[in-house]
Amino acid sequence: TNSWIAKLAGSKDTNFRVLKRRVSDSEVVAAGLVAGALVEAARIFLLHPLDTIKTRLQAYQRPKPPTEEELEQQRQDRIETLSRKIKTVDEQLRPARRKVRVSPRRMSTGFGTPRRTMRGVKVLQKIALQERLDETKESELKNKPSMIPPEVFTKPWDGLNIALLTSAPQGAVYWAVRDVVKRNLLQAAP
């Protein structure tokens, strides 16, 4: 059964003796204190930032989502605003009652009258407004997912020193006492 150990050790002798060294309780306590403090410190260093972020996320108050009535009211307000803008542009596009004569010299320049140019701009405005109105009418206003503020993720190591000051000694004492009690109970067992 010990042949694999001998092969691993490179020895031809297959008889191994287990050496038992007498270790005092104070050495077990010292080893438990050091091991417990190191384990707790490593745990705090690794998990404290995640725990801080988790706590901040739990404490974060998400904004209340709008009700269906509020969403519908926002949609109606937007449609009314766009409709009013379109009506204003329509009124500006109505032809004037008096006719303006354009001289042949002005027509030959290739540019329209200032009134025609203004009318073209207003037509383009109306087209853009009409497209926005159509998009608003067709699309349903959906709830936007609430964004988590970036403050939740800043400085995740805040409070690390306090966590180390409380957890490392507690872990050291726990492991030291545990090891000594376990050793003494094993020695006292029949």
Side-chain angles (χ1 to χ4, degrees):
T1 59
N2 291 334
S3 63
W4 66 273
I5 296 174
K7 287 180 186 176
L8 192 67
S11 172
K12 301 211 186 272
D13 185 17
T14 59
N15 295 329
F16 285 99
R17 290 183 295 155
V18 177
L19 298 176
K20 289 189 177 182
R21 181 176 173 242
R22 274 312 269 163
V23 180
S24 68
D25 283 345
S26 60
E27 289 176 329
V28 172
V29 168
L33 285 172
V34 171
L38 289 176
V39 165
E40 283 297 314
R43 183 184 68 81
I44 293 297
F45 274 118
L46 292 175
L47 297 179
H48 180 75
L50 297 174
D51 191 39
T52 301
I53 291 171
K54 179 194 71 147
T55 304
R56 289 178 184 170
L57 283 172
Q58 288 173 341
Y60 171 63
Q61 296 282 330
R62 295 180 191 258
K64 184 182 126 189
T67 63
E68 290 296 324
E69 294 83 26
E70 291 171 338
L71 288 173
E72 186 60 31
Q73 183 62 40
Q74 289 173 358
R75 185 172 174 265
Q76 290 298 328
D77 291 345
R78 187 169 176 201
I79 288 172
E80 287 175 15
T81 303
L82 290 172
S83 296
R84 271 184 271 145
K85 287 181 180 179
I86 288 173
K87 286 179 186 176
T88 304
V89 172
D90 274 344
E91 289 172 5
Q92 293 172 351
L93 287 175
R94 287 193 184 130
R97 297 196 181 234
R98 58 189 172 108
K99 294 185 178 179
V100 178
R101 288 188 156 180
V102 179
S103 66
R105 187 177 59 145
R106 236 185 187 173
M107 292 289 283
S108 64
T109 60
F111 298 107
T113 62
R115 190 171 285 202
R116 284 185 184 172
T117 304
M118 190 59 149
R119 183 174 173 86
V121 169
K122 295 293 181 184
V123 168
L124 291 176
Q125 281 180 347
K126 181 179 178 183
I127 292 169
L129 287 171
Q130 191 65 44
E131 285 177 359
R132 283 176 53 197
L133 179 63
D134 292 341
E135 288 173 10
T136 302
K137 285 181 180 178
E138 289 174 6
S139 69
E140 289 290 325
L141 294 177
K142 296 181 181 175
N143 292 341
K144 294 180 183 175
S146 60
M147 298 293 293
I148 297 173
E151 297 86 39
V152 169
F153 302 104
T154 58
K155 298 183 182 176
W157 283 279
D158 281 352
L160 182 67
N161 52 359
I162 295 169
L164 281 174
L165 285 174
T166 58
S167 292
Q170 172 263 330
V173 170
Y174 170 77
W175 284 101
V177 170
R178 177 188 170 275
D179 289 346
V180 170
V181 169
K182 180 180 175 183
R183 177 179 179 203
N184 289 331
L185 287 175
L186 285 174
Q187 287 175 355

